[in-house]
Amino acid sequence: MKTSIALALWLAAGGYAWADETVSQQTAPTQPAAVPANNAAAPSGWATGVGTNPNPAAQRPTTPAQGTAGAAPAQSGNDPLPPPQSDLFQQAQESISPLTPQEIRLLRGQAGDINKAMIAPQVTIVPRISAQTVNLSPGASLPLIRTAVNYPSSLTFIDSTGAPWKLGAAPISGNSDITAYYVPNSPILVLEAKKPYASGNVTVYMEGLAVPIVLNVSSGESDSQATTWTVDSRLDMRIPRRGPGAQPGAVPEMRIGLHDGVLQAFLDGIPPKEAKQLKTTGAVPDTTVWQMGDDLYIRTRADIRDEFESTLSSADGTHLWKLPVTPYVSFSVMGHTAALNVALE
């Protein structure tokens, strides 16, 4: 028992001594190390730099506070949260940009879709170039002119021979939403619709013609469910009379197919389905030949020299000639006779 007590006292005394020695070593000032005397071996005026410190301040002991001056303290995870933004800053931010960038992009996309829907026409416009013959007889239907907003219709008046027929006075429109423009001393009339689904009559006075020509103009059918609307972009209005500008020696009136729908279809370049286009050779430019039954239908700008059955012309000088099937046809081209060879099938 005495031995155990003595051993415990000895261990306690040794622990106190060890703690005192450790504290004394930590608190003792650090002595500078001796500088080796290597400079003594260098030549006069020279230094080797060995054992010397060019920065004397580096020899002084630095504390942790001095070594980390200016650096951000490391976050330990237990640091306090930053202070909340002020109410004034939040109000200013909301007044400058109350919406997020993603919300702004979404709203701009919706605005673009609305603009497209507002600008896009309700129906698809199909412009075309055609011709029709005016019927001046009592009880006849008025010629229909189809136009649309932003798609004005240009009309050219010609006589039965295809010669231009000038307007004699300014046209009169019965609807303020349909404006009629004309070029004085010319056969041209332009009809412009300012609103969709507008309709009305336009009265045209021709030079030397005893009766006026009344046109029924429409910019759309409000009771139609069609998604397309055909517009007469250029329309040749053929008057069934010989006008003041008719050339002498023109085609006889009896051979002009004024009201022949088949001739008009070939003249417009839209032949019937049963017509077959034939190959041709020769020095007659801008010529197309179809065969339908026992007849040839020749669409060209040249004047024919052979016999023919009927003809029809447009305002631009294009002619349609109908004649029996033949492999050889003569035309007048630039004052000379030119042959057209037709490959019959």
Side-chain angles (χ1 to χ4, degrees), residues 318-342:
T318 302
H319 308 287
L320 192 284
W321 308 98
K322 178 185 176 182
L323 63 156
V325 172
T326 177
Y328 181 88
V329 185
S330 298
F331 287 92
S332 177
V333 180
M334 303 294 293
H336 301 281
T337 301
L340 181 68
N341 299 313
V342 182

Side-chain angles (χ1 to χ4, degrees), residues 4-341:
S4 301
I5 295 174
L7 182 59
L9 292 174
W10 180 80
L11 291 174
Y16 286 119
W18 174 80
D20 181 68
E21 181 180 359
T22 303
V23 172
S24 62
Q25 290 179 358
Q26 293 179 351
T27 57
T30 304
Q31 298 295 330
V35 178
N38 292 335
N39 291 337
S44 176
W46 291 82
T48 61
V50 178
T52 62
N53 192 347
N55 188 7
Q59 297 180 357
R60 295 193 298 269
T62 58
T63 60
Q66 293 176 348
T68 60
Q75 297 182 358
S76 62
N78 297 326
D79 297 335
L81 296 174
Q85 297 178 350
S86 63
D87 295 339
L88 292 178
F89 177 81
Q90 293 181 357
Q91 293 177 3
Q93 187 177 20
E94 292 178 356
S95 62
I96 294 175
S97 179
L99 301 177
T100 63
Q102 183 62 26
E103 293 174 341
I104 294 176
R105 296 189 188 96
L106 180 61
L107 290 178
R108 291 188 63 185
Q110 294 177 354
D113 294 340
I114 293 175
N115 291 334
K116 292 178 182 178
M118 293 293 295
I119 296 175
Q122 297 180 354
V123 294
T124 302
I125 303 300
V126 182
R128 77 168 188 177
I129 300 175
S130 61
Q132 62 173 300
T133 301
V134 179
N135 192 346
L136 301 177
S137 302
S141 300
L142 299 180
L144 175 63
I145 312 299
R146 292 167 295 185
T147 185
V149 178
N150 301 328
Y151 293 87
S153 299
S154 299
L155 280 65
T156 303
F157 293 89
I158 58 177
D159 65 358
S160 59
T161 65
W165 196 324
K166 300 178 182 179
L167 276 71
I172 298 176
S173 176
N175 190 337
S176 59
D177 294 332
I178 299 175
T179 305
Y181 303 94
Y182 83 110
V183 180
N185 198 28
S186 75
I188 298 176
L189 171 68
V190 178
L191 301 175
E192 181 184 15
K194 298 183 178 179
K195 290 184 179 180
Y197 310 114
S199 62
N201 290 343
V202 175
T203 304
V204 183
Y205 302 93
M206 308 304 300
E207 181 181 302
L209 188 63
V211 295
I213 298 177
V214 181
L215 307 175
N216 184 9
V217 184
S218 175
S219 61
E221 298 177 353
S222 58
D223 56 348
S224 176
Q225 300 297 327
T227 58
T228 59
W229 174 251
T230 303
V231 172
D232 297 314
S233 295
R234 200 201 83 187
L235 182 62
D236 297 341
M237 302 297 298
R238 187 182 300 107
I239 303 173
R241 300 284 189 278
R242 296 178 69 90
Q247 297 294 330
V251 178
E253 196 79 22
M254 63 180 64
R255 292 194 178 184
I256 300 176
L258 294 176
H259 303 284
D260 192 329
V262 177
L263 293 183
Q264 186 64 60
F266 280 106
L267 183 61
D268 292 340
I270 310 175
K273 295 181 179 179
E274 56 270 20
K276 186 175 183 179
Q277 185 173 346
L278 302 179
K279 296 181 179 180
T280 61
T281 57
V284 184
D286 303 328
T287 301
T288 307
V289 179
W290 294 274
Q291 179 179 353
M292 190 172 68
D294 296 332
D295 297 320
L296 291 182
Y297 295 85
I298 304 176
R299 186 176 186 263
T300 181
R301 297 179 62 87
D303 292 329
I304 196 170
R305 288 186 176 271
D306 295 339
E307 289 293 328
F308 62 92
E309 294 182 3
S310 58
T311 183
L312 201 60
S313 302
S314 64
D316 66 337
T318 302
H319 308 287
L320 192 284
W321 308 98
K322 178 185 176 182
L323 63 156
V325 172
T326 177
Y328 181 88
V329 185
S330 298
F331 287 92
S332 177
V333 180
M334 303 294 293
H336 301 281
T337 301
L340 181 68
N341 299 313

